[in-house]
Amino acid sequence: GVPWLVPLPEALLKPPPSSTLYLARDGTPLRHLLNEDGTRSAPPVQFSEIPPLLAHAVLAAEDKRFFSHGGVDPLAIARAAWDNAQAKRVVSGASTIHQQLIKNTTPRSGKRTLGIKIVEALQARRLAMSWSREDVLTAYLNRISFGNLMTGAATAASGYFHKPLGDLTPAECALLAALPQSPSRL
């Protein structure tokens, strides 16, 4: 099909970079250096390390039909188009986690044109056809910005709450799930 005509972003096929972390002898973090892109990130986590509450909260906030669409959500597109037409400005988006992951791993300069959005949609469809949902969600949570120069859920858990990802409370999971929607504003 058509999705196989567009390659997945090269950065998506490589592990995300992790920044250098200096620890004290007792394991307490001393200094977390920035990556080349100006962010901090922990080594990527596996799906089994992601607290189920965090996964559910992220899906509720970002992509309610994650397990039922094919990488692009036509219902979300229709809803966003309706909301935006009613408001006569952009008030709502329709990007799935697949689409956000493609956008996040594709370097772009300038405005995202309709053509770029179509290519990204085809790439998101290809991603949905070739990766498991768990792999997509894991890659997303390892690569998304949580604000304050923190990339990835493990970095955010450490940076905001000074604890490992697996020790997050339900309230902390809910807060982290909300941050990617507008990390600089929140």
Side-chain angles (χ1 to χ4, degrees), residues 3 20 25 35 52 56 64 92 95 104 124 130 145 148-149 161 186:
T20 303
R25 286 186 187 175
N35 288 326
H56 292 300
K64 292 171 185 60
S92 179
S95 292
N104 194 282
S130 53
S145 171
N148 288 319
L149 307 178
F161 306 116
L186 297 174

Side-chain angles (χ1 to χ4, degrees), residues 104-167:
N104 194 282
T105 55
T106 305
R108 299 246 192 262
S109 57
K111 191 174 179 182
R112 289 177 60 234
T113 63
L114 180 59
I116 288 172
K117 289 180 181 185
I118 289 170
V119 168
E120 288 174 353
L122 291 171
Q123 289 174 313
R125 177 69 184 125
R126 179 173 178 172
L127 184 62
M129 294 166 66
S130 53
W131 285 27
S132 72
R133 299 295 165 147
E134 291 79 12
D135 288 344
V136 170
L137 184 58
T138 302
Y140 176 81
L141 286 171
N142 279 319
R143 295 171 187 272
I144 198 72
S145 171
F146 286 87
N148 288 319
L149 307 178
M150 290 185 267
T151 299
T155 307
S158 174
Y160 288 121
F161 306 116
H162 309 292
K163 59 172 69 171
L165 192 58
D167 291 350

Side-chain angles (χ1 to χ4, degrees), residues 58-82:
V58 166
L59 293 177
E62 295 290 332
D63 192 351
K64 292 171 185 60
R65 287 182 288 282
F66 178 73
F67 288 101
S68 62
H69 62 65
V72 177
D73 188 350
L75 291 174
I77 293 169
R79 177 204 37 83
W82 176 257

Side-chain angles (χ1 to χ4, degrees), residues 169-184:
T169 66
E172 291 164 344
C173 288
L175 175 65
L176 288 187
L179 287 175
Q181 291 186 355
S182 185
S184 58

